[in-house]
Amino acid sequence: MQSEVLASIRTAVKNAMKGEFYKNRFAGIDADGIDSKQAFEKLPFTDKDDLRQAYPLGLAAVPDEKIVRIHSSSGTTGTPVIIPYTQKDVDDWAIMFKRCYETAGITNLDRVHITPGYGLWTAGIGFQNGAELLGAMTIPMGPGNTDKQIKMMIDMKSTVLCATSSYALLLAEEIEKRGLRDKIHLKKGVIGSERWGEKMRRRIAGELGVELYDIYGLTEIYGPGIGMSCKHECGMHIWTDYLYFEIIDPKTGKILPEGEIGELVITTLRKEGAPLIRYRTHDLTRLMPGKCRCGLDYPRIDTLIGRSDDMVKVRGAMIYPSRVDELLATIDGVSSEYQIMIDHLNGKDILTLFFETPLEMGEASEKLEKLVEHEFKARIGLIPNAKAVGMGELPRSEKKSTRVFDNRY
Ligand code: ZN
């Protein structure tokens, strides 16, 4: 670790400890004693549940008069997390976001059509401030009202669409359906960082006729705009002058070497309102080795492959529901519904993969089971016990993660 990185980490820890949250959490820790990478890595992680306990404004690390705005992360359950921002935080976020646009080759001649929501949520306003700082014309639409979206897109000659992947797909399909493809002027799409498959990417890019860029971020750490893909589509560049990134084994918390997949952990180096030290994002990715062909010096993280909460380890192989989805989608005769059971029998971990198929049970389904086992071994690294079942036989669930049942513990 370079000495200037260590120095900024020490400053970040000191600033964080000015607030109640880290004053308690890091009680007894001497920030000046963080004199090596190893010393830093001894600091405890911070998780979203810790932040919830600071509700409403317990995360603030500056006096009240310095706070100019709050955002809130949409907790699916329970207490939300409130993140206070100073003017400098708001400005720094815009600087990073402007850099994202520039990384995608977007300029002040572009017209940026913003569909993510405005409000407590960090999305819309982040896209807005970054585009204004760049000097581009912004069209602050927010989500919904497809007719109006398309009309404005045509009349304002929008050249950049900012959206979630699902909303971009919906707009792409509507534009195609209405035969308006040659009336729109879109050249680029900036797509929010949820995990999305290659199939969906190709459909959006094809139907809109645009280049797509992935943007990364989370409300707890400014919001979207802390990482961005470039035209080489090889991961997302991350802004290491504002943030420090680590990849850990989500089960043990151990730091993983460059190139290995694990959970992304972020430390804010310059944030004032709510600094975070070693914050667990629960996003699974890896630090990509080597330098990008685009010439940018900022390192890269890979496209997100899922959430660490969904990951299971079986006989040394990492199993992510997203990878299983993708794998099964490529095999003819296998439907999208599946279920994984992991058991510990006779001293051995056994993975059983149930999948639905419209084929007759018998010779045809057994052949398909063998094929699934073979493909699973080739691409995920262990041989499952594949079991074909008829269509509609597996329980339906809204949550993807409930497709995996770990009965070992
Ligand atoms: Zn690049």
Side-chain angles (χ1 to χ4, degrees):
M1 194 186 267
Q2 292 161 322
S3 60
E4 59 264 39
V5 178
L6 265 173
S8 40
I9 282 177
R10 275 194 297 269
T11 307
V13 172
K14 280 181 202 166
N15 287 337
M17 287 175 76
K18 287 178 187 158
E20 279 305 305
F21 181 74
Y22 279 107
K23 196 185 287 173
N24 297 330
R25 205 170 169 72
F26 285 0
I29 291 174
D30 173 19
D32 283 318
I34 305 169
D35 53 1
S36 65
K37 187 168 177 287
Q38 291 73 16
F40 172 67
E41 287 166 3
K42 285 201 182 100
L43 294 179
F45 296 113
T46 301
D47 216 328
K48 192 158 181 174
D49 276 333
D50 306 318
L51 306 189
R52 282 201 182 95
Q53 283 159 25
Y55 183 87
L57 280 170
L59 286 176
V62 293
D64 213 50
E65 62 269 25
K66 289 202 75 184
I67 306 289
V68 299
R69 190 199 285 176
I70 61 141
H71 281 293
S72 166
S73 70
S74 54
T76 43
T77 51
T79 318
V81 170
I82 304 285
I83 306 288
Y85 292 65
T86 65
Q87 186 58 51
K88 184 179 182 295
D89 295 337
V90 169
D91 294 344
D92 283 350
W93 183 18
I95 292 167
M96 284 188 275
F97 217 123
K98 173 177 179 251
R99 198 186 283 166
C100 290
Y101 285 126
E102 287 166 341
T103 302
I106 295 164
T107 72
N108 59 2
L109 292 174
D110 277 298
R111 297 182 175 191
V112 183
H113 189 103
I114 301 165
T115 71
Y118 288 73
L120 279 174
W121 170 238
T122 49
I125 199 165
F127 283 93
Q128 175 87 25
N129 288 350
E132 285 180 0
L133 188 63
L134 181 70
M137 184 201 288
T138 59
I139 306 154
M141 298 299 297
N145 199 341
T146 305
D147 288 341
K148 195 168 174 186
Q149 297 278 5
I150 296 176
K151 179 173 165 46
M152 290 295 274
M153 209 179 273
I154 293 170
D155 296 346
M156 292 293 116
K157 299 189 166 62
S158 309
T159 59
V160 176
L161 172 67
C162 303
T164 60
S165 56
S166 45
Y167 199 55
L169 182 64
L170 184 143
L171 286 173
E173 285 172 345
E174 278 304 314
I175 288 164
E176 182 71 27
K177 202 159 45 177
R178 299 177 192 193
L180 296 170
R181 171 81 187 268
D182 26 317
K183 290 215 164 56
I184 62 159
H185 297 77
L186 291 178
K187 291 197 210 86
K188 287 170 181 167
V190 178
I191 308 297
S193 65
E194 53 194 309
R195 182 179 67 77
W196 51 313
E198 200 40 47
K199 243 183 204 168
M200 191 165 182
R201 169 183 280 275
R202 276 201 301 269
R203 273 184 68 195
I204 299 170
E207 289 190 9
L208 289 177
V210 297
E211 285 168 17
L212 293 179
Y213 294 85
D214 292 319
I215 193 160
Y216 179 65
L218 57 162
T219 299
E220 295 84 347
I221 313 276
Y222 296 99
I226 65 170
M228 182 78 171
S229 66
C230 65
K231 66 176 176 190
H232 294 291
E233 289 189 19
C234 51
M236 296 176 277
H237 290 279
I238 46 179
W239 315 135
T240 43
D241 45 349
Y242 285 87
L243 303 159
Y244 181 75
F245 297 84
E246 300 170 272
I247 300 284
I248 62 161
D249 178 321
K251 295 272 191 274
T252 64
K254 236 183 69 195
I255 304 284
L256 295 175
E258 187 181 71
E260 271 185 41
I261 293 172
E263 180 180 331
L264 184 66
V265 171
I266 304 178
T267 294
T268 63
L269 297 176
R270 303 198 197 179
K271 214 155 179 257
E272 295 179 333
L276 291 178
I277 310 295
R278 307 196 84 202
Y279 183 67
R280 292 187 64 159
T281 66
H282 291 270
D283 284 325
L284 291 171
T285 182
R286 65 192 184 110
L287 286 168
M288 297 181 75
K291 215 182 139 180
C292 183
R293 279 180 293 149
C294 77
L296 266 188
D297 271 329
Y298 293 102
R300 290 162 296 148
I301 52 169
D302 209 341
T303 314
L304 305 187
I305 47 168
R307 302 275 304 161
S308 60
D309 323 74
D310 299 342
M311 186 202 80
V312 284
K313 206 170 178 178
V314 183
R315 302 206 297 264
M318 303 281 207
I319 317 276
Y320 314 105
S322 61
R323 286 274 164 92
V324 180
D325 285 352
E326 280 163 24
L327 167 82
L328 295 180
T330 62
I331 303 176
D332 281 341
V334 177
S335 102
S336 63
E337 292 303 313
Y338 70 90
Q339 202 174 69
I340 287 175
M341 292 283 180
I342 305 158
D343 298 283
H344 192 73
L345 292 171
N346 306 323
K348 210 176 152 199
D349 287 339
I350 309 281
L351 184 146
T352 311
L353 170 68
F354 296 93
F355 62 91
E356 291 187 356
T357 175
L359 296 181
E360 288 276 321
M361 288 303 123
E363 207 179 312
S365 70
E366 280 162 25
K367 217 172 134 193
L368 190 57
E369 285 169 353
K370 287 279 161 281
L371 179 65
V372 168
E373 286 172 2
H374 179 264
E375 289 297 306
F376 206 92
K377 165 78 179 142
R379 290 198 253 165
I380 294 178
L382 89 163
I383 303 178
N385 188 9
K387 293 263 182 237
V389 299
M391 298 298 284
E393 285 185 25
L394 292 175
R396 298 298 191 253
S397 160
E398 279 163 28
K399 269 181 69 197
K400 278 236 166 87
S401 50
T402 55
R403 287 164 182 261
V404 181
F405 297 88
D406 194 343
N407 308 319
R408 288 175 295 182
Y409 309 107

